[in-house]
Amino acid sequence: MAAAKKAVLGPLVGAVDQGTSSTRFLVFNSKTAELLSHHQVEIKQEFPREGWVEQDPKEILQSVYECIEKTCEKLGQLNIDISNIKAIGVSNQRETTVVWDKLTGEPLYNAVAAPVSPDSSVPVAVVPSGSSVPAAGTSSVWLDLRTQSTVENLSKRIPGNNNFVKSKTGLPLSTYFSAVKLRWLLDNVKKVQKAVEENRALFGTIDSWLIWSLTGGVNGGVHCTDVTNASRTMLFNIHSLEWDKELCEFFGIPMEILPNVRSSSEIYGLMKAGALEGVPISGCLGDQSAALVGQMCFQDGQAKNTYGTGCFLLCNTGHKCVFSEHGLLTTVAYKLGRDKPVYYALEGSVAIAGAVIRWLRDNLGIIKSSEEIEKLAKEVGTSYGCYFVPAFSGLYAPYWEPSARGIICGLTQFTNKCHIAFAALEAVCFQTREILDAMNRDCGIPLSHLQVDGGMTSNKILMQLQADILYIPVVKPSMPETTALGAAMAAGAAEGVGVWSLEPEDLSAVTMERFEPQINEEESEIRYSTWKKAVMKSIGWVTTQSPESGLP
């Protein structure tokens, strides 16, 4: 029986999914995309000072080895032969920055994390040119404060026009991206300065650190990254697909410390240790791009939304870079092979999604667990005219309004906690619609449906509301691990591996749950325009003359 089971399985592909709070290793059947087994290890975040977020690169690497070993043990218990694992893909938190010593393999400093988790939000400093940026004190939760002064100093030196950085990278000058963190390390950490002077330093995002370490480290480790991760550094020209000499000079970054940029799907090197020694690492994608691939958004105008602490919306814009007029980012979506074309995406973020549910639980105490919100909302089935704008620290895309604060309005004597719970779920959906409207205005391709993933998508009321408010179907894959799946697909499809077909006719096997709009379009529009009215009421609460403390 066991032998038959092994014969049926065919080639398997593994995926490392390295996030801000945990590392996972997952193994998929390349013919059916079925998840066979996985293991997860929590990892720590360190906060050495207020507004600083760091992680230990060695702990991250160790967690990857542990997840691989444990998953292989679990496969053994299922009577699945691990020699069937033909490739490994890597998906990672994107902007987290590592500098290490190529002679010793030791990190020269902790990994400087993105100021918020990657399933969260674009930070305050990401604004379209000409928009105001909230002062550091107004919402320190969104800022890695250590690099704020670096950004201010750099912005005074921008050559020519303010679009110098954005026109090359698709990104605004911001605390969020790696170039600024690297500049801070070069300015403030003696060990980093010395290693650079002595030509011992290597820089990379988490994918580079992992691939270098897993392919041998000091003994021939491969120093590379892929186009999606490179496009989040502010040093990469998204048109030429190369590190940009002018940008490196502007940020004062020596080009010799940068990884080689490769496609998202090719053999980078072989595993040099552990249970999967000798298996090629052949896929690499930043987490949001990996989810786009895992959702099979391979056509122009297909979009996915990942619902976490905040939401990440990516829309495939095909072979053309679309630059946003509405505060969205332009990024590389994927390049699935050395000789394959590059695809671009527009990216927008909803700042507060799961965070609003957490706020109802922790601050108001109207629910005891996040799951309870669905039960409360279901009891009433309506917000009864109550609207909740969770602008806890200003409004983000497409408004960029730091003066806004959260409001709950439209209350009557009949409003109860169930209506507020319902309004909180609607708020996530309205914010998503605003980002999608901005995307439609930027690329002129109205969406026919929205593909969704992430923790909150298990909330059926939320998914139905999203379909009603967008007035298009919302489509959710039955297998929620789309980020890891995307990395596995890229790895399995790589030249020299060839166990995963990305041909459209071979990709139809994924089962989907579909939520169709259940209200009429007129009602959808009325609710959306009332939401817009509520948003307008939230603007202008904070002025420089009226400190939030209420003190004169």
Side-chain angles (χ1 to χ4, degrees):
M1 183 65 204
K5 186 174 181 183
K6 286 180 194 174
V8 168
L9 276 178
L12 312 179
V13 180
V16 173
D17 183 3
Q18 207 298 301
T20 41
S21 55
S22 71
T23 298
R24 297 179 310 151
F25 185 69
L26 305 91
V27 174
F28 297 91
N29 180 334
S30 68
K31 297 297 173 219
T32 62
E34 180 195 357
L35 175 60
L36 299 175
S37 186
H38 76 285
H39 188 77
Q40 176 167 337
V41 172
E42 299 297 316
I43 53 171
K44 290 195 293 289
Q45 287 187 311
E46 297 172 27
F47 304 93
R49 293 193 202 170
E50 190 189 349
W52 291 30
V53 188
E54 296 179 359
Q55 291 179 308
D56 178 355
K58 291 175 82 170
E59 184 195 351
I60 291 173
L61 177 61
Q62 197 43 52
S63 71
V64 171
Y65 278 121
E66 188 183 333
C67 286
I68 290 173
E69 299 301 312
K70 290 284 196 312
T71 304
C72 288
E73 283 171 26
K74 289 177 182 178
L75 289 170
Q77 288 157 13
L78 294 168
N79 221 356
I80 295 170
D81 189 343
I82 63 168
S83 69
N84 285 341
I85 298 175
K86 302 302 181 194
I88 295 169
V90 175
S91 160
N92 58 290
Q93 43 172 316
R94 293 176 298 180
E95 290 82 9
T96 298
T97 303
V98 191
V99 183
W100 67 95
D101 187 320
K102 66 183 175 189
L103 301 182
T104 65
E106 291 293 312
L108 294 162
Y109 190 80
N110 269 346
V112 181
V116 285
S117 70
D119 63 348
S120 182
S121 140
V122 167
V124 164
V126 175
V127 290
S129 53
S131 301
S132 55
V133 181
T138 58
S139 59
S140 58
V141 64
W142 301 107
L143 294 174
D144 190 338
L145 298 176
R146 79 177 87 194
T147 57
Q148 189 57 26
S149 58
T150 310
V151 166
E152 284 160 12
N153 293 335
L154 286 164
S155 61
K156 289 174 194 151
R157 298 198 292 104
I158 289 185
N161 65 16
N162 277 345
N163 263 346
F164 168 70
V165 175
K166 194 171 180 185
S167 62
K168 289 169 176 281
T169 65
L171 311 172
L173 181 59
S174 158
T175 57
Y176 200 54
F177 305 106
S178 309
V180 177
K181 295 171 193 165
L182 186 48
R183 182 66 258 154
W184 184 91
L185 289 167
L186 289 165
D187 289 339
N188 294 281
V189 182
K190 291 252 181 322
K191 274 173 81 174
V192 173
Q193 294 163 358
K194 199 166 185 312
V196 168
E197 284 160 18
E198 295 172 5
N199 198 25
R200 290 183 287 110
L202 295 178
F203 151 80
T205 38
I206 292 291
D207 57 303
S208 297
W209 161 246
L210 292 178
I211 292 171
W212 183 84
S213 302
L214 296 172
T215 56
V218 294
N219 300 310
V222 178
H223 188 216
C224 68
T225 188
D226 90 299
V227 287
T228 69
N229 281 294
S231 78
R232 310 296 290 191
T233 59
M234 274 197 310
L235 299 170
F236 184 69
N237 189 311
I238 59 175
H239 311 286
S240 66
L241 302 184
E242 291 171 339
W243 297 120
D244 190 284
K245 195 163 175 294
E246 283 184 359
L247 285 168
C248 290
E249 282 167 7
F250 172 66
F251 287 104
I253 307 292
M255 291 183 84
E256 57 275 11
I257 74 172
L258 303 178
N260 289 319
V261 183
R262 314 271 285 268
S263 77
S264 311
S265 175
E266 60 180 270
I267 295 175
Y268 312 111
L270 306 181
M271 287 286 289
K272 283 295 193 290
L276 298 180
E277 189 176 345
V279 176
I281 299 175
S282 54
C284 179
L285 290 153
D287 53 7
Q288 300 307 323
S289 284
L292 195 74
V293 171
Q295 286 272 30
M296 297 166 209
C297 294
F298 294 132
Q299 322 257 282
D300 283 28
Q302 279 188 303
K304 68 90 199 165
N305 194 18
T306 300
Y307 294 75
T309 310
C311 293
F312 265 106
L313 257 125
L314 261 73
C315 179
N316 187 333
T317 61
H319 304 310
K320 61 183 183 293
C321 280
V322 175
F323 284 92
S324 175
E325 300 295 317
H326 305 96
L328 308 178
L329 307 180
T330 306
T331 198
V332 175
Y334 52 81
K335 185 182 192 297
L336 293 174
R338 210 176 301 188
D339 304 320
K340 294 285 196 308
V342 66
Y343 281 75
Y344 296 96
L346 269 179
E347 178 170 331
S349 303
V350 169
I352 309 274
V356 76
I357 315 302
R358 211 171 298 151
W359 184 83
L360 291 177
R361 184 192 69 196
D362 299 344
N363 294 37
L364 291 197
I366 68 172
I367 50 174
K368 288 193 173 63
S369 71
S370 298
E371 291 68 42
E372 230 179 290
I373 193 160
E374 189 171 5
K375 198 163 112 274
L376 284 187
K378 198 172 185 176
E379 268 179 50
V380 285
T382 172
S383 69
Y384 202 72
C386 166
Y387 285 78
F388 186 164
V389 182
F392 296 148
S393 49
L395 285 166
Y396 298 80
Y399 298 100
W400 302 112
E401 193 46 77
S403 70
R405 282 299 172 269
I407 62 167
I408 300 174
C409 57
L411 304 177
T412 72
Q413 74 268 38
F414 299 112
T415 308
N416 62 30
K417 66 180 184 179
C418 298
H419 300 117
I420 291 172
F422 196 95
L425 294 180
E426 279 192 315
V428 176
C429 302
F430 285 129
Q431 291 179 97
T432 298
R433 168 141 181 203
E434 294 195 307
I435 298 282
L436 277 182
D437 281 359
M439 282 183 173
N440 286 342
R441 289 198 296 273
D442 282 328
C443 43
I445 316 169
L447 285 190
S448 59
H449 64 276
L450 178 67
Q451 290 169 234
V452 299
D453 55 72
M456 289 181 82
T457 59
S458 59
N459 184 326
K460 286 189 166 23
I461 300 250
L462 177 72
M463 294 295 95
Q464 185 57 53
L465 275 174
Q466 189 67 84
D468 290 346
I469 286 164
L470 295 177
Y471 211 69
I472 55 173
V474 165
V475 180
K476 176 191 164 191
S478 55
M479 201 285 296
E481 304 294 351
T482 49
T483 302
L485 178 62
M489 288 164 66
E495 194 182 333
V497 178
V499 298
W500 204 306
S501 168
L502 299 184
E503 294 304 317
E505 62 272 16
D506 299 325
L507 292 174
S508 55
V510 180
T511 52
M512 299 281 190
E513 192 174 355
R514 197 174 168 94
F515 297 85
E516 299 280 349
Q518 286 180 355
I519 59 174
N520 65 46
E521 192 167 1
E522 192 183 356
E523 190 191 333
S524 180
E525 289 307 320
I526 290 167
R527 276 158 68 175
Y528 186 46
S529 62
T530 313
W531 157 264
K532 293 252 190 214
K533 205 157 86 178
V535 168
M536 289 302 121
K537 299 252 183 267
S538 76
I539 291 171
W541 285 91
V542 181
T543 64
T544 45
Q545 284 74 44
S546 59
E548 293 190 18
S549 64
L551 298 171

